[in-house]
Amino acid sequence: MLNFSCDYLQGCHPKILERLIQTNDELTAGYGNDHYTKSAKEKILKRCGCPHGDVYFLVGGTQTNALVIKSLLKSYQGVIAADSGHIAVHEAGAIEMGGHKIMTVPNVLGKITALSVEKICEDYYNDENHEHMVMPGMVYLSFPTEVGTLYSKEELSELSITCKKYNLKLYIDGARLGYGLAASQNNLKIEDIANLSDIFYIGGTKVGALFGEALVIPHNKEMIPGMFPIIKQNGALVAKGRILGIQFDTLFTDDLYFEIANNAIKQAAKIKKVFLEKNYKFYLDSPTNQIFIVMNKDKSQELKKKVIYSFWENLSDGNVVIRLATSWSTTDQEVEELIKCL
Amino acid sequence: MLNFSCDYLQGCHPKILERLIQTNDELTAGYGNDHYTKSAKEKILKRCGCPHGDVYFLVGGTQTNALVIKSLLKSYQGVIAADSGHIAVHEAGAIEMGGHKIMTVPNVLGKITALSVEKICEDYYNDENHEHMVMPGMVYLSFPTEVGTLYSKEELSELSITCKKYNLKLYIDGARLGYGLAASQNNLKIEDIANLSDIFYIGGTKVGALFGEALVIPHNKEMIPGMFPIIKQNGALVAKGRILGIQFDTLFTDDLYFEIANNAIKQAAKIKKVFLEKNYKFYLDSPTNQIFIVMNKDKSQELKKKVIYSFWENLSDGNVVIRLATSWSTTDQEVEELIKCL
Amino acid sequence: MLNFSCDYLQGCHPKILERLIQTNDELTAGYGNDHYTKSAKEKILKRCGCPHGDVYFLVGGTQTNALVIKSLLKSYQGVIAADSGHIAVHEAGAIEMGGHKIMTVPNVLGKITALSVEKICEDYYNDENHEHMVMPGMVYLSFPTEVGTLYSKEELSELSITCKKYNLKLYIDGARLGYGLAASQNNLKIEDIANLSDIFYIGGTKVGALFGEALVIPHNKEMIPGMFPIIKQNGALVAKGRILGIQFDTLFTDDLYFEIANNAIKQAAKIKKVFLEKNYKFYLDSPTNQIFIVMNKDKSQELKKKVIYSFWENLSDGNVVIRLATSWSTTDQEVEELIKCL
Amino acid sequence: MLNFSCDYLQGCHPKILERLIQTNDELTAGYGNDHYTKSAKEKILKRCGCPHGDVYFLVGGTQTNALVIKSLLKSYQGVIAADSGHIAVHEAGAIEMGGHKIMTVPNVLGKITALSVEKICEDYYNDENHEHMVMPGMVYLSFPTEVGTLYSKEELSELSITCKKYNLKLYIDGARLGYGLAASQNNLKIEDIANLSDIFYIGGTKVGALFGEALVIPHNKEMIPGMFPIIKQNGALVAKGRILGIQFDTLFTDDLYFEIANNAIKQAAKIKKVFLEKNYKFYLDSPTNQIFIVMNKDKSQELKKKVIYSFWENLSDGNVVIRLATSWSTTDQEVEELIKCL
């Protein structure tokens, strides 16, 4: 059966498997002290235009988010996020378990605005009782967002300036970073992401890896002292760290990461075109690898027999929203079969 | 200068001081294992109509809220509260430091509705991905609320039923419980509070004590196993526990707690009457000891020279809201002087 | 019945009660923003010889210990303490709940030695795998110790030097500080305590107050940024903060704190003299207000009928150790009656 | 260069790589809701003789230990462990970060004894002040231990009985479980491990997998309610969960796990034999895949030029202890070359 339910349905890009096979018998030091990890770090830093930064490889997105937030905030600080943000909705309380409030603001097409950050800070600092309140200490945003939308360079720059004004760290969750960078509407380069944020991660799990995220600290290597024991203490240290190193070394050789991300965008475009031709409406204009389609219930039930997709939302007019996701691995054939089903 | 800024401006009710003097030389066991504490517990349980329950004396409201919530919730559960709730706004992140998300719902005159609780639970249980989300585990509400409003018996009963339906603990923050029970519009008795909730506290700090809150577990003594080490571990155990016992024993002798709470209501009524006569508008109808008055800025500045009050909010029409609070200790003379200032 | 079981059996020193009565009707700002608290801070800082430091008033010892340790350590650091230290034994896991390991070293008469601190640090830094281990970040010691012994000025200086060498904060738990300073064998002044430590607290609960500890940051006001919200967040903020201010203002007026501590030492000396005359052996030489006596079981049972004391330990020779404690409130008459019982 | 420094130097067993290749293009549901994971669970439960239990796949040992301990203990409980236990020494404070004290007892050849568990419990329950202390709630032990020693069936049974007596959960860290079961001195079957413990994990990372541990709850599926959100919340949920499922399905097909563990034991035996013949002394008799050899410093320096090993300890007589580890992947050739170096 066709499956467009998410972007982590397959194993990994074949080149990664090849490298795992080639390197399998080699004996290397553990915990990321191997030459593959070193090489991957260097390639990533170079590609991000921040050679003096640092990179840490972690296993998954929630782990990365929780670790970053708890390492950077003081106990009485919170993290500002869109109410649709992954940390606010789908991490089972990981951030609060780490001790911090998520200070949500209403999302605008999945995004947070500089204005809403400014408002939350002004409200805090102008309140006579602010010492009894949670202090804003960080802004969390996803690029692309959870609904596949993108910040423009202007929007991100404005957020960056606002963060500096209020002494907030700016953290970018790049679980699907590749797909955002590959989108035709996008005007941000990975160097901009590095330049405008204090810390961000490059998602591997959803963009070609078996698993793994590359956490980049672009400007200040010393921003989080004790990163090694912090990773260990959070149960996030992989004994055979090279498995992460090899994967990211492969993804950042000859821009493989970017190339395979393109495929998702290309396939999504083909699907969107057909839906448009058939006069379907999109729930929102998502320029990356997620497509949100408004459909009547009967049609959605019919489609369900042939395609696995994500149910997104019931609309008040009786229609439903479904989500289709493409990925680095989506084939022309899969898309053609999908189109036939419509 | 006149001071109506809050309800914890004075020391304590003179009868408490008297008892402290009378008992000062007596040698008693520590940590609440003294006969005053025992007596206070018994009087409270009897007065609440739950003789088989249990009572723990703690120092302050935030401490009590944090301890209750962290002791009763599983790590992946959150507590539902109004967005105006004390835990959501004015506890500097104490609940999140304890590991739990506060799942806020928009307040209606400071209150949470059974409907909004129902919605949050239905949304959770109907979401296919709810195992990735924070599970609602408790409802927190304040009686009276932070803006002095009251739940009716009907409203509280409905909330109680909804909580049972979704397996939520119902916790009532009674920082100003006395003032709520004393209000003329109130139709809840303290026995109802005990009967309809799973756990609640009777505020002493704001109602006549030097400090101290009585946490009541009305139905199930064993609801929180290990309460003693939990209190100790949270730094909430008072070595000379009798200081708490003596205070609450005094407050619950001859209904002193209820009697002195009446004074706050009586004095507030006098003040409200004058404001009404002078055609001031109230920001909201608060039937307890807090009065929220809409005032133009000039007038508020003028008043500030004679009376210490709380600034509450800037309104969009250029007016401001100020808060006056009465308490168990407010005197006729203070109220008369205040009235002269208007 | 006579009661020498601990040093927190009574209410408080009569002068404190007097001040509470005198000030009871006064209206003051909350949360320590009152003039009594201000005055108490100034008197303490002056008396400690550190006028540019800061003081925070908290409710109890475990609360203070937990808050200090969690505020000063990084997540992957631990606190070095004697295995007999209060935090290691009698705080129900409060320090670990705050996230930190207590790195215990064998006590020498209740004390920790510079040598043992040095060893733990050398072992850590020399271990190839130390990034997988807890980093020592602080030394905790009690003055007097839990068994009433004292560090000499030389010992404390040596510990202070060792702490600086390994970048450890030195924290002194002064739950019974007054009794240590009053002991005739003691060669440390309170100015030395302030001078040699990074942070310490002056115990009120066991030395004349109803409750309360004064946490002193002698050198660097900014050592713990955000102390106010940290206190709030830990449920340690007292709404009527003046109750703490008034108590410590009284204790630090005309050196009352030191004077009343003397009484405990004087009474303990009388008791020890009698035991010595009667050829009892002491379990250890405790120069402060705690007396540890070796006694045969029968004698201890007989004494139990007349005096409440603390059982301390069973010895392998069949004898037992009992503890008697004097305090600021112990009277000549109580001591005479005790002596009659022997 | 030869490398015997640890047992996680290589990638994974070739059969696992093969399965990853075969399955790579398949689209499956995420988060462990795939048929490989289901199959792996069933095979493991069957092999452990506990078909009604449950299995969860996690990424690493520290993560597993931290998650198990924090999920099973009440906030005021601690976990009893040998002072040489992995959680006590090499997890950078992960257990304490989760809120719990590790109550260490002196190890006997890396092991904990039922007697020492009994003593810690008796001391706790007999102490009048035990409510101020950390309550023992669990026993943690490693099989094999961190120094490669083994519990006999008799020892483990006795520990199991003691745990039941004091209401302690018994948790077995099986990071190297395969090597323990394969040892010739061993008289425990995996069914015994399941039968005698409340929860244990089968280590994959050190026994043939790229990464991964299988946490087995043998008797009571419901022992930890909310395991899915707990895993998510702890950042331990792998999006492409099948990567874990496929690995363990492979390892538990045709007893591959046990077969490859044998290799480590066989190779270790050959190495030990040669050291014995050359009259080296072992630091302790470790019957599994770790060999601890006493060597004079010069010899150890010489060997270092040809073989990477682990430095273990300086002895007081000037000799050193080095550790060699074999694994599932150690080849005859590597062992022969090592022998030539001696």
Side-chain angles (χ1 to χ4, degrees), chain C residues 81-90 102 104-112 140 142 145-147 149 151 284 312:
Chain C
D83 56 1
S84 53
H86 200 261
I87 57 167
V89 185
H90 282 123
I102 304 170
T104 52
V105 297
N107 76 87
V108 179
L109 294 175
K111 292 189 280 183
I112 191 171
Y140 163 96
S142 313
T145 67
E146 290 73 13
V147 290
T149 52
Y151 292 84
L284 48 73
W312 200 256

Side-chain angles (χ1 to χ4, degrees), chain C residues 32 66 100 116 139 158 191 209 212-213 225 228 241 274 283 306 310 328 334:
Chain C
H100 299 283
S116 64
V139 166
E158 209 187 343
E191 293 91 329
E213 326 293 334
F228 190 95
V274 175
Y283 182 53
K306 304 174 198 156
S310 284
W328 60 276
E334 285 171 318

Side-chain angles (χ1 to χ4, degrees), chain C residues 64-307:
Chain C
T64 305
N65 291 337
L67 192 150
V68 165
I69 291 168
K70 114 168 119 173
S71 304
L72 279 172
L73 291 185
K74 293 189 184 305
S75 71
Y76 49 90
Q77 292 180 322
V79 52
I80 304 174
D83 56 1
S84 53
H86 200 261
I87 57 167
V89 185
H90 282 123
E91 302 195 348
I95 306 311
E96 291 86 358
M97 196 176 72
H100 299 283
K101 186 188 273 293
I102 304 170
M103 310 168 88
T104 52
V105 297
N107 76 87
V108 179
L109 294 175
K111 292 189 280 183
I112 191 171
T113 63
L115 207 68
S116 64
V117 172
E118 179 129 5
K119 184 173 175 348
I120 225 169
C121 291
E122 286 294 320
D123 283 356
Y124 173 80
Y125 286 105
N126 289 330
D127 195 309
E128 282 177 16
N129 293 316
H130 71 255
E131 288 202 312
H132 295 247
M133 296 161 69
V134 173
M135 177 192 281
M138 184 187 279
V139 166
Y140 163 96
L141 61 84
S142 313
F143 181 88
T145 67
E146 290 73 13
V147 290
T149 52
L150 295 173
Y151 292 84
S152 68
K153 188 167 179 179
E154 296 66 37
E155 287 171 333
L156 194 61
S157 301
E158 209 187 343
L159 276 160
S160 180
I161 291 166
T162 304
C163 284
K164 282 189 178 56
K165 180 174 169 190
Y166 293 105
N167 201 20
L168 306 167
K169 295 273 183 292
L170 178 52
Y171 169 45
I172 299 177
D173 177 334
R176 295 184 171 105
L177 186 63
Y179 302 138
L181 296 173
S184 58
Q185 283 96 321
N186 172 50
N187 70 350
L188 279 161
K189 294 186 222 156
I190 198 166
E191 293 91 329
D192 298 322
I193 297 287
N195 190 34
L196 293 170
S197 70
D198 291 295
I199 185 164
F200 71 100
Y201 82 82
I202 303 169
T205 303
K206 290 174 175 168
V207 193
L210 285 172
F211 66 95
E213 326 293 334
L215 180 65
V216 184
I217 303 180
H219 313 300
N220 175 7
K221 254 179 180 333
E222 305 299 318
M223 189 166 66
I224 307 178
M227 196 62 176
F228 190 95
I230 287 173
I231 291 173
K232 177 72 185 169
Q233 184 175 42
N234 282 278
L237 190 63
V238 175
K240 298 179 180 174
R242 79 192 208 194
I243 309 296
L244 287 160
I246 289 165
Q247 292 188 83
F248 276 95
D249 193 60
T250 306
L251 290 171
F252 278 80
T253 297
D254 299 334
D255 271 358
L256 180 66
Y257 183 77
F258 301 89
E259 181 194 304
I260 66 177
N262 269 328
N263 177 66
I265 300 301
K266 193 185 71 184
Q267 304 295 2
K270 291 198 283 189
I271 297 168
K272 280 185 224 173
K273 187 157 166 282
V274 175
F275 275 107
L276 266 182
E277 286 167 6
K278 294 186 177 294
N279 288 315
Y280 280 89
K281 282 200 177 148
F282 297 118
Y283 182 53
L284 48 73
D285 179 26
S286 171
T288 55
N289 69 316
Q290 299 184 70
I291 312 165
F292 299 87
I293 306 138
V294 178
M295 208 172 257
N296 73 48
K297 250 180 205 162
D298 291 350
K299 180 69 196 167
S300 76
Q301 289 303 318
E302 200 192 311
L303 191 63
K304 210 176 193 170
K305 292 171 194 159
K306 304 174 198 156
V307 184

Side-chain angles (χ1 to χ4, degrees), chain B residues 9 11-12 24 31 209 240 242, chain C residues 8-9 11-12 24 209 240 242:
Chain B
L9 295 164
C12 64
N24 193 52
Y31 307 114
K240 297 178 181 175
R242 79 193 209 193
Chain C
Y8 39 92
L9 294 164
C12 64
N24 194 52
K240 298 179 180 174
R242 79 192 208 194

Side-chain angles (χ1 to χ4, degrees), chain D residues 117-191:
Chain D
V117 172
E118 178 129 6
K119 183 175 177 345
I120 225 169
C121 292
E122 286 295 319
D123 283 356
Y124 172 80
Y125 287 106
N126 290 329
D127 195 309
E128 282 178 14
N129 293 317
H130 71 256
E131 287 202 312
H132 296 248
M133 296 161 69
V134 173
M135 178 192 281
M138 183 188 281
V139 166
Y140 163 95
L141 62 84
S142 313
F143 182 88
T145 68
E146 291 72 14
V147 290
T149 52
L150 295 174
Y151 291 84
S152 67
K153 189 166 179 179
E154 296 66 37
E155 287 171 332
L156 195 62
S157 301
E158 210 187 342
L159 276 159
S160 180
I161 289 166
T162 304
C163 285
K164 283 189 177 57
K165 179 172 170 190
Y166 294 104
N167 200 20
L168 307 168
K169 295 272 183 291
L170 178 52
Y171 169 46
I172 298 176
D173 177 334
R176 296 184 171 103
L177 185 64
Y179 301 138
L181 296 173
S184 58
Q185 284 97 320
N186 172 50
N187 70 349
L188 279 160
K189 296 187 219 152
I190 198 165
E191 294 93 328

